[in-house]
Amino acid sequence: MLTGKVQRRPRGDLIRVLVVDDEADIRELLDLTVARMGLSADCAATVTEARQFLEQQRYQLCLTDMRLPDGDGLEIVRLIAERYGETPVAVITAFGNTQNAVAALKAGAFDYLAKPVALDQLRSLIKSALDLPRVGAAADGAPPASAATRLIGPSAAICQVREMIDKLARSQAPIYISGESGTGKELAARLIHDHSARRTAPFIPVNCGAIPENLMESEFFGYRKGAFTGAESDREGFFQAAQGGTLFLDEVADLPLPMQVKLLRAIQEKRVRKVGNTAEEAVDVRIISATHHRLKDCVEAGTFRQDLYYRVNVIELRMPPLRERSEDIEPLVEALLRRLCGAQPPRLDRQAANALQAYSFPGNVRELENILERATALCNGDTVVLDDLQLAPAMAVRDSLGREGESLDDYINRVEKQAILEALAKTAFNRTAAARLLGVSFRSLRYRIERLGIEE
Ligand SMILES: Nc1ncnc2c1ncn2[C@@H]1O[C@H](COP(=O)(O)OP(=O)(O)OP(=O)(O)O)[C@@H](O)[C@H]1O
Ligand SMILES: [Mg+2]
């Protein structure tokens, strides 16, 4: 039964796992573990045999070795991702071979295990794979998205982010969420967790920039009673608190270098050691990190370790700035006003709505929230007018200088458009007043408005 022979075993409607490894004793170990969990395994010794099994049968999980006599595990990962998207696949890598693990996760593997295979890790991997919500089954596995936790926005960019979130929820790969401040990085991290097999375990957000350096190790990994003065009892760290769930490392670029080394170790080994303890304990935690810095720049500047960068940045999710998706502003305003004021929120008059459309939101959705909160406090009755918004004279252009790949002409047009939109917003869309403010003639302004395709 443990030879690599391709022979389908008749077994009712058991949950089936495909095991692919060329070493007979590893196949046996995996087969036994799977059987003890009440599942059944088919075992293949080569890529070819694995292909044959996959053609005959649907599997709820595939565990594959990386190095196989007739190919490598990545081929199987890719094949499954292309043809059998329903089946999560995990790879088993040689001890310390991080590149392999990262390559597999990027190719769509759900998770990986390092050799020698630790049985507790294997069992928790199998459990989470079987707990995965099914593809496209938002209604049945996933929790109902409450109004407060939805990612709002009809723009193509946000639709794409929502699709990515669904996809990422079905993997255990470490994710790095990039984006300017206030773009919804933490919200995205929560949604990934809430839609994943880990949703019933904790989501632990940690602001890496807010922890004093001398407390970091004990905050992350916990400590034993008596480890240092004041350690009066054992305490868990963030890793233990997030056991089975997700650890969200916000502002990860703010971690000091010595802590980066320890974090890398914890992620790689899936084990941590409490301060004052000699033994390590296994942890099963998914890492999602974020920062509003460009992490790559931090690596170049030497403030962020390259090896940790590759580890946390297996898959990047980019949150687009609000100024690149102005069609999201109106639906966001509506939803945020309802969140702030309940069932009968105030309305924005046309000028106020236009001004928001024209505004550049350097602080993104968070700034929009703040603007609306202030406006609802300031407004008279049920209508928010331009004045209530108290829009800051914007400096939007400054912080987006030199966007990648932008030509000089595009840049100049963007600056010009921004300046005109702001002048229009400030003057309640009175072109004569706006022209005066900009120091150009009315005719010149009208020409520029047309040329730049600015709509009121
Ligand atoms: N698309 C969206 N739909 C609904 N709410 C959103 C959306 N994007 C952001 N928000 C809300 O905006 C606020 C800021 O989002 P969040 O804290 O996730 O941003 P962030 O990128 O982590 O910001 P920072 O860099 O400042 O930490 C939150 O209240 C969040 O719920
Ligand atoms: Mg945040």
Side-chain angles (χ1 to χ4, degrees), residues 216-247:
M216 266 204 178
E217 191 174 353
S218 57
E219 289 284 318
F220 271 88
F221 306 130
Y223 55 77
R224 287 293 303 269
K225 178 179 175 180
F228 45 81
T229 333
E232 279 161 16
S233 57
D234 285 12
R235 224 188 94 163
E236 312 255 273
F238 299 136
F239 269 91
Q240 291 93 350
Q243 180 68 5
T246 306
L247 187 56

Side-chain angles (χ1 to χ4, degrees), residues 29-47:
L29 172 78
L30 298 177
D31 191 16
L32 266 173
T33 311
V34 165
R36 289 219 177 102
M37 294 177 78
L39 320 170
S40 78
D42 284 326
C43 295
T46 61
V47 175

Side-chain angles (χ1 to χ4, degrees), residues 133 137-146 149-150 190-196 199-200:
D140 94 40
S146 71
T149 55
R150 262 179 27 226
R190 271 183 200 280
L191 289 170
I192 292 171
H193 172 83
D194 286 349
H195 288 86
S196 76
R199 63 190 173 280
T200 52

